[in-house]
Amino acid sequence: MFINERTKPHDLLYYEALAARTSLTKVESRKFSTYKNGFEGEQMYDQLFDSIGHDNILIYRDVFLSVDNSVTQYDSLIISDKGIISNEIKNFTGSCTVRNGNWFRGDYPIPNNAFSQLNRAVGKLMELRNTAKADFNVSGKLVFPNDTFIFHSDDQSNWDKMILRSGLRDYFQQFNQTGIKAGNKAQYISRLISEHIVENTYFNPQIDKTRLKFGLYCGHCGSFNLNKTRFHLTCNKCGSVECNETHLLRAMSDYKFLFYNQSMTRNDLLKFIDNDLHHKVISRALLKHCYINSKGRNTTYTFKYYDFDDAVRKSDVYMRYKDHN
């Protein structure tokens, strides 16, 4: 079973918020596309795994583990009494070739060697096992969930390290076998993993505020051209109607990822939305949807939710005014 929810990575949420409020550079656009594509591949993986079933095993998704003073990200960790398997998910499309250990798309080299990434991830898990003086198997596979991906290699042993979409169903099916289960040993491995999960230490965005367009924008077409009524804002471009609270949840989520680990005051949020709503509306929203950090006269707020989607999912039932799309 899935132990945790797979959420959009911090970097993807950052670029989504950034793209809503400024024109991306070519480098930013490429990074945005990469993170979006990677997350879509992980969703393909999860959906197919769900369709096959995974009741016999424990699965951690998109976690960061701290091992020996270094942090490693894992797309999927599959745990049973037999041990732990790291699945590194690559949403590659088109044709790729491995020659002399190097990856190529046509004649152009792919800079990050996927096998090296997998070996590092597996090596860190072995290190974790050895430090704990535990006894369980550790292995890993590169998983390519996109059915448009074609792979060529001059080394036939590479096929043992990877699973293409055509073989992914059979790969998942093996975890439903009677001999594979999540018993006491799997529970021990799971506790060991949980003890070493940390936040994403690599995410530290530095944004120039002067690039950003401040204000509230339509969640459907992205337009900042909104008509305000007492409890709702109507998009003058597409006609979508969203309540004040929905807009503020989106703004607070954007603020969180654009200015990560920076404090947020009521005045900060007011400036961020270009004073599009009354300060009393802002105060009520902050009290409802944020943790309050009081420091003398300076009160700061921390968004309660992971992101906008999480906020809407958890708070929608309590929202007095609804959106009309």
Side-chain angles (χ1 to χ4, degrees), residues 16-17 147 238 292:
E16 285 182 346
D147 57 10
C238 72
I292 303 172

Side-chain angles (χ1 to χ4, degrees), residues 155-198:
D155 184 351
Q156 292 303 306
S157 67
N158 286 334
W159 291 98
D160 295 331
K161 307 171 189 175
M162 56 197 299
I163 306 292
L164 300 186
R165 178 59 184 251
S166 58
L168 193 51
R169 185 173 291 274
D170 289 340
Y171 176 68
F172 287 153
Q173 190 64 55
Q174 70 174 306
F175 298 113
N176 287 323
Q177 295 174 6
T178 306
I180 296 178
K181 62 178 182 177
N184 291 334
K185 193 165 188 178
Q187 294 295 336
Y188 166 76
I189 300 171
S190 176
R191 288 194 299 272
L192 186 62
I193 293 298
S194 294
E195 290 168 1
H196 288 79
I197 293 177
V198 296

Side-chain angles (χ1 to χ4, degrees), residues 18 61 85 150 161 209 228 240 250 253 258 308 321:
L18 188 64
R61 299 178 291 175
I85 303 170
I150 301 172
K161 307 171 189 175
K209 288 185 179 182
K228 288 176 280 187
S240 174
R250 184 180 297 114
S253 180
L258 289 172
F308 171 72
Y321 303 101

